[in-house]
């Protein structure tokens, strides 16, 4: 009787697994159609994950009840997105999508240099995220950004999973969740981090599949185009802090591709056409873009911040290398001692792999080449974060541009790729001895406990949370070695989705910017009196350009050195403004001054005389300033105060 019951349970389990496998197979086969359907759905309903609703906090006097927020919450810490990058692109849609945006800061900003912003320019070929703004306008364009990046990254991650796991489609499906929904990607989604990971994946997939599907001319053409767009986009992100480490990762994996294909593929005349065309197109896109923005690039490279930073490594707290263990909590509770974005990482199995590396690679490097190359890269990254190197070596290798805090991102990403390779490696092998499993388990749990209990993470994680983290880690390690494949994949996918999915909100449209009383008033004034110069206190430096009005302050990627002559005729304070800067303004009747608030923020205190000299005609303040009027300059109130205490004044002189 017991035997019969056992057989029934086994049969039921096998049937369930077969049904699950069949369902997953259907999803995998239909993945491109599913991707297209989801993308169209996002566009039609104007869905995105932007934290634009943060503007409801600072500009709260609405014209209607629709906030556009569907689920989740906007993240104040993601100001790079809702205060800088998204406003830059929205400003572009209001001002003609020119390469030089004339309304952001007094002298305008170069949009090739400025955060991958939308523009009708050759560089836009390599900026697929901005195509929506060019083709469809601001609302659909914002949905395009989020849709194409997330869906594209899911598809690319699936392909990279196939490459690293010997075409294991189930591990590839795990990869399609593991990479895009990792904490680091979601917290840095609309930033150079998200862009560069996307382009890295796209380029690697394009190059590998070009040779993998070499028999098909159509696929060769498609993947050569993908590689062209991806590598051009990678270069034009212009963020060396992450471009350098990811560039080395690309080179290392290209070595692996070469050894995989150099004997299998015979090049023909079509390769000369496709590869030659791809190289030519890449050189043209990058060359024309850099040439047209060369002056701006020179200015950026000679800034005090970030242009003159020199890193030699060794300044990353070693205990914080295991930050990924706490990423599950950050969407639900803010970190107490720093911001969540800086702590975000990738959940990975590098330290599970580490003690086994000598066994795996001893006299077997060639047959485990991808694993060895990724392991080598990860070890170097750890060394860079942990120890200082000679500055001459850092400069020669370009790692002088790479702060250790950014290496943790590329290290985590490479560790995920290594983990995928490692999982497939283990599951191909015979069963492992209990002593080996126990040793790896003990090593990792001891390391995790040490990091959680003695490092900065102790300020954030409770003792009970530490116990839960260790239990989950123990289960994953045991399930990995015991080949409980379904359980392992579901638990790991669950951990990743919990760390990443709740980070960004689900929102609709751009009402938090444009459906505001003060926005309507500003646009009416601009319509009646176009092209005048505005200045705004508080965060108006980020808000005004989205409305298409010329803003004295703003965010300066390219420093406007000449524009500060009125406030600093002798250039004594050039170090204050020769930087990437959020330019704040305060209206005062005291002496005008320039002050550095932090490495990326300054404040310009303007009195009536300076306002007249700059030709500023409209001001948004959070105090009454009629009393600051002089015989030369008179301030006339046009609006306010509203719920936020905001006024609009016209300067007459």
């Amino acid at each position: 009787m017991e035997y019969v019951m056992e057989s029934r349970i086994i049969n039921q389990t096998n049937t369930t697994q077969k049904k699950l496998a069949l369902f997953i197979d259907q999803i995998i086969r239909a993945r491109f159609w599913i991707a297209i359907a989801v993308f169209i759905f996002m566009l039609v309903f104007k869905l995105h994950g932007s934290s634009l609703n943060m503007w409801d906090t600072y500009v709260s006097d609405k014209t209607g009840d629709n906030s556009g927020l569907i689920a989740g919450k906007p993240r104040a810490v993601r100001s790079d997105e809702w205060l800088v990058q998204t406003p830059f692109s929205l400003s572009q849609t209001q001002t003609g999508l020119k390469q030089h945006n004339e309304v952001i800061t007094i002298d305008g900003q170069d949009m090739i240099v400025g955060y991958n912003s939308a523009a009708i320019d050759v560089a836009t070929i390599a900026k697929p995220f901005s195509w929506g703004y060019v083709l469809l306008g601001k609302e659909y364009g914002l949905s395009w950004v989020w849709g194409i990046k997330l869906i594209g990254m899911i598809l690319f991650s699936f392909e990279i999973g196939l490459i690293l796991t010997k075409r294991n489609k189930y591990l590839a499906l795990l990869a399609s969740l593991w990479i895009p929904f990792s904490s680091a990607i979601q917290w840095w989604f609309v930033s150079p981090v998200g862009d560069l990971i996307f382009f890295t994946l796209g380029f690697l997939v394009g190059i590998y599949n070009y040779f993998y599907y070499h028999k098909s001319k159509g696929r060769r053409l498609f993947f050569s185009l993908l590689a062209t767009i991806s590598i051009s986009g990678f270069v034009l992100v212009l963020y060396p802090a992450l471009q350098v480490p990811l560039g080395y990762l690309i080179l290392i994996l290209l070595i692996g591709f070469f050894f995989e294909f150099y004997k299998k593929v015979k090049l023909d005349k079509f390769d000369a056409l496709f590869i030659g065309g791809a190289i030519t197109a890449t050189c043209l896109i990058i060359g024309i873009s850099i040439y047209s923005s060369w002056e701006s690039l020179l200015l950026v490279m000679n800034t005090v911040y970030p242009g003159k930073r020199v890193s030699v490594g060794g300044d990353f707290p070693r205990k914080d290398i295991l930050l990924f263990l706490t990423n599950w909590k950050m969407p639900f509770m803010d970190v107490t001692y720093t911001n969540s974005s800086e702590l975000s990482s990738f959940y990975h199995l590098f330290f599970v792999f580490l003690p086994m590396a000598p066994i795996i690679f001893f006299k077997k490097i060639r047959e485990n080449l991808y694993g060895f190359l990724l392991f080598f890269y990860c070890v170097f990254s750890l060394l860079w974060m942990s120890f200082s190197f000679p500055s001459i070596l850092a400069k020669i290798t370009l790692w002088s541009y790479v702060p250790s805090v950014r290496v943790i991102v590329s290290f985590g990403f490479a560790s995920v790729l290594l983990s995928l390779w490692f999982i497939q490696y283990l599951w191909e092998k015979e069963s492992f001895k209990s002593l080996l499993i126990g040793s790896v388990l003990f090593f990792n749990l001891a390391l995790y406990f040490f990091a959680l209990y003695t490092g900065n993470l102790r300020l954030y994680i409770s003792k009970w949370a530490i116990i839960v983290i260790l239990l989950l880690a123990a289960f994953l390690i045991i399930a990995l070695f015991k080949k409980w494949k379904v359980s392992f994949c579901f638990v790991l996918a669950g951990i990743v989705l919990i760390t990443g999915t709740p980070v960004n909100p689900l929102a609709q449209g751009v009402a938090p910017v444009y459906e505001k009383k003060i926005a309507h008033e500003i646009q009416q004034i601009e319509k009646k009196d176009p092209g005048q110069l505005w200045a705004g206190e508080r965060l108006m430096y980020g808000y005004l350009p989205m409305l298409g009005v010329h803003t004295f302050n703003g965010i300066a990627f390219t420093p406007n050195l000449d524009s500060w002559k009125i406030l600093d005729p002798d250039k004594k304070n050039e170090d204050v403004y020769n930087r990437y800067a959020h330019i704040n303004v305060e209206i005062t009747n005291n002496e005008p001054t320039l002050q550095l608030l932090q490495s990326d923020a300054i404040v310009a205190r303007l009195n009536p005389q300076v306002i007249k000299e700059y030709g500023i005609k409209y001001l948004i303040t959070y105090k009454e300033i009629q009393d600051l009027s002089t015989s030369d300059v008179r301030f006339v109130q046009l609006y306010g105060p509203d719920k936020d205490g905001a006024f609009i004044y016209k300067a007459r002189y």
Side-chain angles (χ1 to χ4, degrees):
M1 187 70 177
E2 288 182 10
Y3 175 77
V4 173
M5 288 295 293
E6 239 177 76
S7 297
R8 285 180 179 175
I9 292 170
I10 291 171
N11 288 334
Q12 287 175 354
T13 302
N14 289 337
T15 302
T16 302
Q17 288 181 346
K18 287 179 181 178
K19 288 181 178 179
L20 178 61
L22 180 62
F23 175 69
I24 292 173
D25 287 344
Q26 290 173 337
I27 290 175
I28 290 172
R29 282 194 295 269
R31 65 187 183 277
F32 296 112
W33 293 111
I34 294 171
I36 292 169
V38 172
F39 183 57
I40 292 173
F41 181 83
M42 290 185 67
L43 285 182
V44 169
F45 291 98
K46 305 175 185 177
L47 301 177
H48 57 80
S50 170
S51 288
L52 274 183
N53 282 92
M54 282 305 305
W55 288 108
D56 288 337
T57 302
Y58 301 100
V59 186
S60 63
D61 215 343
K62 305 175 184 178
T63 58
D65 297 327
N66 179 29
S67 70
L69 186 63
I70 298 171
K73 66 176 183 178
R75 302 286 179 178
V77 71
R78 290 305 309 128
S79 57
D80 277 358
E81 183 269 312
W82 61 266
L83 181 57
V84 186
Q85 186 155 350
T86 299
F88 266 48
S89 290
L90 292 178
S91 175
Q92 282 290 87
T93 66
Q94 305 300 295
T95 56
L97 295 163
K98 301 173 185 176
Q99 179 190 331
H100 187 80
N101 184 303
E102 297 173 353
V103 307
I104 302 176
T105 71
I106 188 169
D107 293 328
Q109 290 292 306
D110 189 318
M111 292 294 101
I112 291 178
V113 176
Y115 250 163
N116 253 348
S117 302
I120 299 175
D121 187 84
V122 171
T124 302
I125 297 172
K127 298 179 179 181
F129 316 130
S130 67
W131 294 350
Y133 287 117
V134 174
L135 297 172
L136 304 172
K138 60 179 184 290
E139 288 191 290
Y140 294 112
L142 183 57
S143 296
W144 180 291
V145 171
W146 287 81
I148 201 166
K149 188 180 289 188
L150 180 60
I151 294 168
M153 201 178 293
I154 289 171
L155 294 174
F156 290 157
S157 298
F158 182 88
E159 295 296 321
I160 209 75
L162 290 177
I163 293 168
L164 294 172
T165 64
K166 300 179 181 179
R167 317 307 289 183
N168 186 324
K169 58 188 175 183
Y170 302 114
L171 285 180
L173 187 63
L174 176 63
S176 71
L177 299 176
W178 196 344
I179 296 172
F181 292 100
S182 284
S183 180
I185 296 295
Q186 290 302 313
W187 283 102
W188 295 105
F189 192 81
V190 179
S191 76
V193 175
D195 294 353
L196 288 170
I197 296 291
F198 179 95
F199 288 130
T200 298
L201 290 169
F203 180 68
L204 291 172
V205 168
I207 294 295
Y208 184 93
N209 282 351
Y210 179 92
F211 294 104
Y212 186 81
Y213 296 107
H214 192 262
K215 292 180 181 179
S216 169
K217 297 183 184 66
R219 291 191 179 190
R220 272 191 275 173
L221 175 60
F222 173 79
F223 287 116
S224 64
L225 290 173
L226 175 60
T228 298
I229 291 172
S230 296
I231 196 62
S232 301
F234 182 94
V235 172
L236 293 177
V237 170
L238 301 174
Y239 187 67
L242 196 55
Q243 281 173 307
V244 171
L246 287 179
Y248 274 94
L249 178 60
I250 288 171
L251 288 174
I252 281 175
L253 286 172
L254 289 180
I255 293 171
F257 295 173
F258 173 78
F259 281 104
E260 180 173 348
F261 289 115
Y262 83 101
K263 288 183 179 179
K264 295 179 182 178
V265 174
K266 186 177 181 180
L267 301 181
D268 57 30
K269 60 184 179 182
F270 290 100
D271 292 305
L273 176 64
F274 296 146
I275 296 174
I279 292 172
T280 302
T282 300
C283 292
L284 285 173
I285 293 169
I286 295 172
I288 293 171
S289 300
I290 290 179
Y291 178 78
S292 65
S293 298
W294 185 244
E295 290 185 11
S296 298
L297 288 170
L298 286 178
L299 286 169
V300 171
M301 287 189 288
N302 287 289
T303 54
V304 176
Y305 171 87
K308 294 182 179 178
R309 290 187 299 185
V310 176
S311 175
V312 294
D315 55 354
F316 192 85
R318 295 171 194 174
K319 295 173 185 176
D320 286 354
I321 289 170
L322 296 166
L323 288 170
F324 67 86
L325 295 170
T326 65
N327 286 171
W328 59 271
K329 190 176 181 181
M330 294 193 307
F332 311 105
M333 180 179 174
D334 291 334
V335 181
T336 52
Y337 64 94
T338 185
N339 75 65
S340 298
S341 298
E342 296 294 344
L343 295 187
S344 61
S345 188
F346 295 82
Y347 197 100
H348 57 77
L349 306 175
F350 175 80
F351 294 101
V352 179
F353 177 85
L354 182 61
M356 294 189 64
I359 301 171
I360 294 172
F361 297 133
F362 182 68
K363 295 184 179 180
K364 296 179 182 178
I365 290 177
R366 181 61 187 274
E367 64 187 83
N368 298 310
L369 185 59
Y370 285 123
F372 177 77
L373 292 171
L374 289 167
F375 178 68
F376 175 81
Y377 177 87
C378 290
V379 169
F380 176 79
S381 299
L382 280 176
L383 291 173
W384 180 263
M385 289 187 284
S386 303
F387 303 101
S388 296
F389 286 73
S391 60
I392 185 65
L393 179 63
K395 290 178 180 178
I396 290 172
T397 60
L398 302 181
W399 281 75
S400 58
Y401 290 103
V402 187
S404 297
V405 72
R406 293 294 168 257
V407 180
I408 191 66
V409 175
S410 56
F411 165 74
F413 175 56
S415 295
V416 171
L417 301 183
L418 177 61
S419 299
L420 287 163
W421 178 90
F422 178 53
I423 295 166
Q424 174 64 21
Y425 173 88
L426 287 186
W427 288 354
E428 282 183 334
K429 300 300 177 183
E430 300 296 328
S431 58
F432 297 90
K433 293 181 180 179
S434 298
L435 179 61
L436 176 63
I437 300 173
S439 300
V440 173
L441 182 63
F442 176 79
F443 171 76
N444 276 266
L445 294 185
L447 185 66
Y448 293 176
F449 176 78
F450 177 75
L452 291 167
Y453 197 73
T454 63
N456 288 331
L457 301 178
R458 190 181 178 187
L459 302 171
Y460 182 57
I461 297 293
S462 68
K463 292 180 180 179
W464 283 108
I466 292 174
I467 292 171
V468 172
I469 291 169
L470 295 178
L471 287 174
L472 278 174
F475 174 82
L476 282 175
I477 294 169
I478 293 169
L480 175 64
F481 281 96
K482 291 291 186 180
K483 302 181 184 178
W484 302 340
K485 298 180 181 180
V486 175
S487 298
F488 174 85
C489 290
F490 271 99
V491 171
L492 180 56
I495 290 171
V496 171
L497 290 173
I498 287 171
T499 65
T501 305
V503 170
N504 293 302
L506 177 62
Q508 183 181 43
V510 292
V513 174
Y514 296 98
E515 298 304 316
K516 302 293 175 67
K517 291 180 180 179
I518 195 169
H520 287 193
E521 186 68 25
I522 292 166
Q523 288 177 319
Q524 285 298 315
I525 294 171
E526 176 67 13
K527 188 176 180 180
K528 295 176 182 176
D529 191 12
Q532 300 300 326
L533 187 60
W534 293 63
E537 293 185 327
R538 299 187 186 177
L539 293 187
M540 281 293 156
Y541 67 80
Y543 188 74
L544 286 170
M546 290 189 283
L547 305 177
V549 300
H550 189 189
T551 308
F552 167 80
N553 37 340
I555 296 111
F557 273 84
T558 305
N560 306 319
L561 301 181
D562 292 338
S563 67
W564 295 110
K565 285 182 179 178
I566 292 173
L567 286 173
D568 187 30
D570 300 322
K571 297 188 176 181
K572 293 179 180 179
N573 295 310
E574 188 170 312
D575 282 358
V576 173
Y577 50 82
N578 184 20
R579 64 183 62 241
Y580 165 82
H582 293 237
I583 304 171
N584 297 268
V585 155
E586 291 178 10
I587 309 304
T588 179
N589 59 355
N590 298 320
E591 283 296 309
T593 59
L594 284 165
Q595 181 185 348
L596 181 65
L597 299 178
Q598 58 190 50
S599 60
D600 64 350
I602 67 174
V603 59
R605 296 184 176 92
L606 310 178
N607 64 16
Q609 183 59 35
V610 168
I611 289 170
K612 178 182 177 181
E613 289 184 52
Y614 272 116
I616 299 169
K617 192 167 184 179
Y618 295 100
L619 303 113
I620 297 182
T621 70
Y622 289 85
K623 57 182 178 288
E624 296 184 11
I625 62 170
Q626 293 99 322
D627 293 344
L628 302 183
S629 297
T630 66
S631 56
D632 292 332
V633 182
R634 190 162 63 90
F635 298 114
V636 179
Q637 182 179 330
L638 304 180
Y639 170 89
D642 59 16
K643 287 182 180 179
D644 307 298
F647 298 83
I648 299 177
Y649 284 95
K650 182 177 182 179
R652 289 183 174 170
Y653 38 80

